[in-house]
Amino acid sequence: MSRKISPAELSQHNSPSSLWLAINGLVYDLTAFAPSHPGGLQILLQHAGQDASVPYNKVHSPSLIRTSLPPTAQIGSSDSIQTPVPQIFSSVPTKPPLSTLISPHDFPLAAIPSLTPKATAFISSAATDCLTHRANSSLYSHLTLRPRILINVSTPTTPLVTTILNCPVSSPIFISPTSLGKIIHPSGEKAIALACSNLDMAQTISTSASFTLSEILSGQNTSHPAFLQLYVDKNRVNSERVIEEAVRNGVRAVMVTVDAPVPGKREADERIPTAAGGETLAPMAGTAAAVGDGKGAALGRVMGGYIDDSFSWEDLGWVKGLLPEGVKLVLKGVQTAADAVRAMETGLVDGIVISNHGGRSLDTATGTILVLLELQRCCPGVFDRMEVLIDGGVRRGTDVFKALCLGARGVGVGRGVLWALGGYGREGVERYLEILNDELVTTMKMCGVTSLEELHPGLVNTRAVDHLVPERVGEEHPYAKWRRKSKL
Ligand code: FMN
């Protein structure tokens, strides 16, 4: 039976040298853990010596704290503490019946009334001027299709069945990893998992998910292929623990994110400290004060303090060494042919995701479909040695089709899934994915193909963007010599 701790005693422990928090009826001593808290020390200090259940529950699952801390950190309970029901959604969301949504573009419009301004900014924001974010999707519209005619496309099969990273799936579309699902929907990543399981599609789960991997996967009896997205922790032991848990829960690949050694500057998210209804997300999810740097309140930055910016090529062997036979190693965030070749040459990497974090990391980085073309032009050999996946800006079945024709094995969707989740939970995610799959099948048949094996670059006209694609791997810039001279 744990010791009862009075509010008066709790309130004494409100500093870095003795930091206690009451969460959901239990009192924890976070003194040792606080300096490595992913969301930063400041945010814990704001609540030190108090009941932090409300801000905690807005972002984390109840079990996260129990599984992340050693049992000795739980030092007692308190009568005064009530377990609050998190309430972060607008009280009267007005949204159309799900069955009336027929376009992927309908989902953000339908979801926004149900979401807090903070959640909306979190999903929609991108780095600085959002140029890469917009280019990711607009570039697809410059590629035109070259349909072949008078082909019997009546074959009544399941034309999208394929494998991604050796996992059988019903569609080449997969779920890109996104963090903090609970601020978008109470069931967050668990709802996405159920949708993927029902549709037999692959889900990538973020290191910064709101729920533990076992809650997302084992707790729900899901049967779909799942991948872990890994942000490498400054404290490598934490990453080892995350990988171990992932392997225990049956993940089939670890995707190390390599396009965000530091968080991007997402100004729309930085500017919003509070959520709708006057309720503040600030205590747990960030305010300028929470970080104390005057830069704003973007969730990715507030929560990303643990990411190791010293992680480099030399460390890939360490990750690979933690993976049992059959669990693939993937780099997420490859943006040049030179790095695709380098990944291949390590001999450690099974796949890459061409990604720029949906334009959330480095603004004016190249739109991802151009990077796919760069790989086709400069290093086509990588497609035989590693699986090449892509995400960023995919909004329509035609976008998926184009990426597949140009050599992608799988195509990821990020924000689209979150809008669907925010508006309608599991059912919304399912409907959104079904619409995309359906559009893809229609596009295939319109172009005269009935299976993914038949797709090839000849079905897409890329002339409008070809001049934007580099000619050679690691091509020297014409001004390279001048730059070197100027350094003398
Ligand atoms: N990528 C990661 O590697 N790890 C993350 O935790 C992560 N969190 C994200 C959170 C949000 C709200 C969004 C929108 C994206 C996040 N991403 C993360 C990037 C996505 O995995 C993906 O690369 C991107 O969303 C694809 O672009 P799209 O949103 O245009 O489909």
Side-chain angles (χ1 to χ4, degrees), residues 119 121-125 133 136-137 174-180 184 204-209 229-231 255-260 266 306 332-333 353-360 368 390-395 412-418 432:
F122 176 55
I123 300 173
S124 60
S125 60
H133 172 40
N136 275 345
S137 43
F174 68 93
I175 312 301
S176 290
T178 51
S179 50
L180 302 175
I184 294 161
T204 318
I205 299 168
S206 168
T207 306
S208 306
Q229 173 270 327
L230 185 72
Y231 283 129
M255 287 187 184
V256 185
T257 294
V258 293
D259 59 10
R266 299 169 201 153
Y306 69 95
K332 174 176 182 280
V353 187
I354 297 174
S355 176
N356 51 38
H357 226 100
R360 293 162 77 83
T368 50
I390 187 169
D391 75 13
V394 172
R395 300 290 175 263
V413 281
R415 290 182 184 82
V417 172
L418 296 182
Y432 167 79

Side-chain angles (χ1 to χ4, degrees), residues 416-436:
V417 172
L418 296 182
W419 295 124
L421 174 72
Y424 302 88
R426 193 261 306 156
E427 290 89 347
V429 176
E430 256 177 73
R431 183 160 175 90
Y432 167 79
L433 292 172
E434 279 167 349
I435 289 171
L436 265 190

Side-chain angles (χ1 to χ4, degrees), residues 93-163:
T94 47
K95 58 188 170 198
L98 181 58
S99 59
T100 64
L101 273 57
I102 57 170
S103 158
H105 297 299
D106 294 340
F107 286 84
L109 297 175
I112 286 170
S114 315
L115 295 172
T116 62
K118 186 66 183 170
T120 301
F122 176 55
I123 300 173
S124 60
S125 60
T128 55
D129 294 315
C130 308
L131 297 170
T132 296
H133 172 40
R134 282 198 288 274
N136 275 345
S137 43
S138 66
L139 279 164
Y140 277 102
S141 62
H142 295 291
L143 309 185
T144 57
L145 294 174
R146 307 179 68 233
R148 303 307 305 270
I149 56 166
L150 287 177
I151 295 168
N152 178 357
V153 291
S154 65
T155 339
T157 53
T158 45
L160 301 186
V161 166
T162 184
T163 61

